[in-house]
Amino acid sequence: QVQLVESGGGLVQAGGSLRLSCAASGRTFSNYEMGWLRQAPGKEREFVARINWSGRSTTYADSVKGRFTISRDNVKNTMYLQMVSLKPEDTAVYYCAQEWYGDNRYHYWGQGTQVTVSS
């Protein structure tokens, strides 16, 4: 049974930083592409970043490029999202997801962690 558990969310002032973690279990972590997506109140879920199985290939949404860094540790079965220079518009529930199959579709999702950026 696949489980994805996010942590590290919270309240931060604009310009601040947070690091999100996603701990995965249930199958071989290093076999699968992983991603971070987010959903703000009243908005659709949107892509944030994606990382391939080895960690050598990453993709970012234009809105976070240069501020967010996605990474993974295949020994610890954990994916990370380092966020710096946070803006109020980054406020959302952040979800980690596993096994991408196009657009914003993944086979498995975490429960989400709230990130709130105050101005």
Side-chain angles (χ1 to χ4, degrees):
Q1 181 180 354
V2 175
Q3 280 196 315
L4 302 173
V5 180
E6 301 98 334
S7 61
L11 173 64
V12 64
Q13 287 189 330
S17 301
L18 282 175
R19 188 175 84 153
L20 305 184
S21 299
C22 172
S25 61
R27 57 178 178 166
T28 305
F29 179 71
S30 59
N31 285 352
Y32 302 100
E33 192 161 65
M34 301 287 295
W36 288 100
L37 299 93
R38 67 187 182 185
Q39 188 166 19
K43 295 187 176 181
E44 292 188 354
R45 193 171 296 184
E46 66 173 1
F47 166 73
V48 174
R50 187 168 59 247
I51 188 166
N52 78 329
W53 67 273
S54 69
R56 294 192 184 98
S57 177
T58 57
T59 306
Y60 295 93
D62 287 344
S63 59
V64 307
K65 207 170 290 185
R67 299 187 298 121
F68 290 11
T69 303
I70 189 172
S71 61
R72 66 190 295 161
D73 184 331
N74 287 343
V75 174
K76 295 182 178 179
N77 294 341
T78 302
M79 177 179 65
Y80 304 97
L81 186 69
Q82 179 68 50
M83 306 184 292
V84 301
S85 301
L86 283 161
K87 304 175 182 180
E89 51 263 44
D90 293 319
T91 295
V93 177
Y94 283 70
Y95 298 91
C96 74
Q98 185 179 76
E99 195 175 359
W100 178 61
Y101 61 103
D103 297 324
N104 287 339
R105 293 174 293 179
Y106 286 80
H107 284 290
Y108 296 99
W109 294 83
Q111 83 289 348
T113 186
Q114 177 71 47
V115 171
T116 303
V117 184
S118 63
S119 56

